[in-house]
Amino acid sequence: MSTPKQPGPLTTCIHAGNRKNDVYGAIATPIYLTSNYRLPTDGTPVDWSGIETNIYMRNGNPNQFVLQDKLCAIEGAEDCVTLASGVAALSATFVTFLKTGDHVVCSKVCYSATSILFHELLPEKYQISVTFVDASNTEEVARAITPNTKLVHIETPGNPTTEIADIPAIAALAHKVGALLSVDSTFASPLLLKPLQLGADLVIHSMTKYINGHGDALGGCVMGKKELIRKIKEQAMVNFGGILNPMTAYLIARGLATLPLRMKQYCENAMAVATYLSESPAVRFVYYPGLKSHPQYERAKTLMPNGYSGMLSFDIKGDEATHTKFLSALQLISHAVSLGDLESLIVYTQSDSPKMQYYPEIFRSGFFRFSIGLENAEDIIADLEQAFVSCGLL
Ligand SMILES: *Cc1c(COP(=O)(O)O)cnc(C)c1O
């Protein structure tokens, strides 16, 4: 029996999840700005914490449902929960699946809120113990897992180093002790890395980044098997309350519709910029998973066959003053946090940052995390080149 042909990613991003039942026949899903919905008046009991019916905006709303369905179709996931930020998605996952006394294995290279949750808040408040590992080193992960490990949480590609973990191998290790594997793959977007298909139980994205893609909205999502996502909705979404509001869900679904087009351009631009940087005498090092010099290049090629996304890390030669001059000389590229925006954003981490101890040796004297934008690659490269000249590196 032949299976029906799946639509391609462009078609899926545009059409999946859209509702065709609007009373006025609207093609774009309207924004449902209503906190409350009419309840039955015929004595039918209402589940006040229900997540399946429209009751109250915090229990779920139509724009959130559209976005969730789109994401499931793209990722190939059974279910999805969208929340108010990437951090809300991470913390919802942690509070849903962890309790006092549990052990967690977490990658050393991870988003700062994840790092603070696992280094300080969850151990101090809930006596959760955490072992931090270099997740690109599978043997180190294997040594850290204990019979009491309930969750292995990794980031791939890691923020900010772009290191790649062997997801299938780590999934097998976690499952041996009955632990869940969650993967934050914000850097890749759901188009370029599919952690669920590689064996992970949960995949988390900050939708603020590539999924929304326009640098104007905050959101997060978790995808996985129905019974796991249902728990997050019932426990964390409704009762901790980090719901995604309909207006933002609408914006993010609109951004997501063009993700395949944008991602193609991000990948092309990043490859061109990474190649330029790797050949420049002004540059001390570049980490981009698509460069042969990346320490996990072969693994990236296997896990991300459709491209390496738009994130890279690099450093220039010269002292602190040269770095400051370089940043202030940039004209097109802005010094700003966040990533996956329309425009190129660069952020500098100085050698005295407390996070430096978690990164590979080569990063520790300071580095730039560079989110390559959708401008013409030649213009991004020209901006770097003129900044190198103006700070005396060329
Ligand atoms: C930005 C980011 C987050 C946090 O997302 P917010 O939407 O800012 O809360 C989590 N993980 C990674 C890898 C990120 O880059």
Side-chain angles (χ1 to χ4, degrees):
M1 212 172 71
S2 68
T3 45
K5 197 180 170 317
Q6 293 294 316
L10 287 160
T11 311
T12 302
C13 284
I14 292 166
H15 286 275
N18 296 349
R19 302 306 199 253
K20 299 199 184 285
N21 57 356
D22 176 68
V23 287
Y24 295 107
I27 298 291
T29 306
I31 304 172
Y32 288 85
L33 284 181
T34 176
S35 323
N36 317 307
Y37 293 84
R38 282 193 187 84
L39 298 172
T41 51
D42 61 359
T44 311
V46 175
D47 173 6
W48 303 111
S49 300
I51 54 166
E52 237 99 79
T53 45
N54 290 323
I55 303 168
Y56 182 55
M57 202 188 273
R58 178 160 39 73
N59 300 60
N61 57 75
N63 296 94
Q64 179 194 357
F65 301 151
V66 168
L67 178 58
Q68 286 172 175
D69 291 353
K70 250 187 212 308
L71 288 161
C72 281
I74 296 156
E75 180 76 28
E78 276 184 21
D79 203 357
C80 172
V81 54
T82 52
L83 292 155
S85 67
V87 168
L90 287 159
S91 59
T93 304
F94 304 153
V95 297
T96 299
F97 296 107
L98 295 173
K99 59 176 186 350
T100 298
D102 285 347
H103 177 250
V104 174
V105 173
C106 179
S107 50
K108 274 194 269 197
V109 172
C110 63
Y111 190 70
S112 47
T114 305
S115 182
I116 292 168
L117 280 168
F118 280 137
H119 273 105
E120 298 169 28
L121 300 178
L122 295 172
E124 285 165 16
K125 290 178 189 283
Y126 306 108
Q127 289 77 53
I128 286 161
S129 61
V130 186
T131 306
F132 290 90
V133 293
D134 170 0
S136 71
N137 180 343
T138 309
E139 276 142 43
E140 200 177 316
V141 180
R143 282 196 298 275
I145 293 176
T146 72
N148 189 36
T149 304
K150 295 298 182 302
L151 180 74
V152 177
H153 178 76
I154 59 172
E155 245 176 56
T156 280
N159 182 357
T161 64
T162 76
E163 286 168 289
I164 310 285
D166 187 346
I167 298 171
I170 295 175
L173 291 168
H175 295 159
K176 235 195 272 175
V177 297
L180 296 173
L181 172 63
S182 56
V183 180
D184 180 336
S185 69
T186 298
F187 265 34
S189 93
L191 282 185
L192 300 180
L193 184 66
K194 311 239 184 243
L196 300 177
Q197 290 169 26
L198 297 170
D201 301 285
L202 297 160
V203 56
I204 301 168
H205 285 276
S206 165
M207 301 192 293
T208 312
K209 316 296 169 53
Y210 288 108
I211 292 175
N212 177 56
H214 291 70
D216 55 6
L218 209 63
C221 67
V222 191
M223 287 180 270
K225 285 223 157 59
K226 211 160 191 75
E227 66 266 23
L228 297 178
I229 300 303
R230 195 184 169 85
K231 270 193 191 152
I232 299 176
K233 286 182 184 169
E234 288 176 346
Q235 295 186 22
M237 182 184 80
V238 176
N239 297 303
F240 285 84
I243 192 89
L244 185 67
N245 79 66
M247 194 87 100
T248 312
Y250 173 88
L251 276 178
I252 296 175
R254 185 168 74 164
L256 177 54
T258 57
L259 180 63
L261 291 170
R262 289 185 287 110
M263 203 33 95
K264 186 166 172 278
Q265 187 72 22
Y266 283 124
C267 289
E268 278 177 29
N269 281 3
M271 197 52 153
V273 172
T275 305
Y276 163 76
L277 289 172
S278 70
E279 290 165 355
S280 171
V283 171
R284 191 169 67 79
F285 79 91
V286 196
Y287 263 40
Y288 180 62
L291 288 182
K292 286 206 179 71
S293 56
H294 189 279
Q296 293 92 36
Y297 169 71
E298 289 299 331
R299 189 180 285 164
K301 226 167 64 170
T302 312
L303 301 186
M304 301 172 70
N306 297 318
Y308 306 97
S309 198
M311 295 302 302
L312 62 79
S313 285
F314 74 101
D315 191 29
I316 56 174
K317 294 173 182 163
D319 56 9
E320 214 52 60
T322 311
H323 284 70
T324 311
K325 257 195 225 159
F326 168 70
L327 275 179
S328 61
L330 291 170
Q331 288 167 10
L332 187 70
I333 304 162
S334 296
H335 186 211
V337 295
S338 203
L339 55 109
D341 201 324
L342 296 173
E343 57 183 276
S344 292
L345 302 174
I346 199 166
V347 72
Y348 182 48
T349 304
Q350 276 171 300
S351 60
D352 59 1
S353 158
K355 288 192 269 182
M356 224 32 127
Q357 57 183 304
Y358 309 128
Y359 306 150
E361 192 62 44
I362 200 167
F363 285 74
R364 294 192 193 159
S365 52
F367 68 93
F368 298 98
R369 186 191 71 186
F370 191 7
S371 170
I372 284 98
L374 297 175
E375 302 96 341
N376 292 90
E378 312 84 82
D379 296 329
I380 302 171
I381 290 169
D383 195 31
L384 291 166
E385 178 97 358
Q386 66 77 27
F388 289 153
V389 170
S390 94
C391 68
L393 286 168
L394 292 182

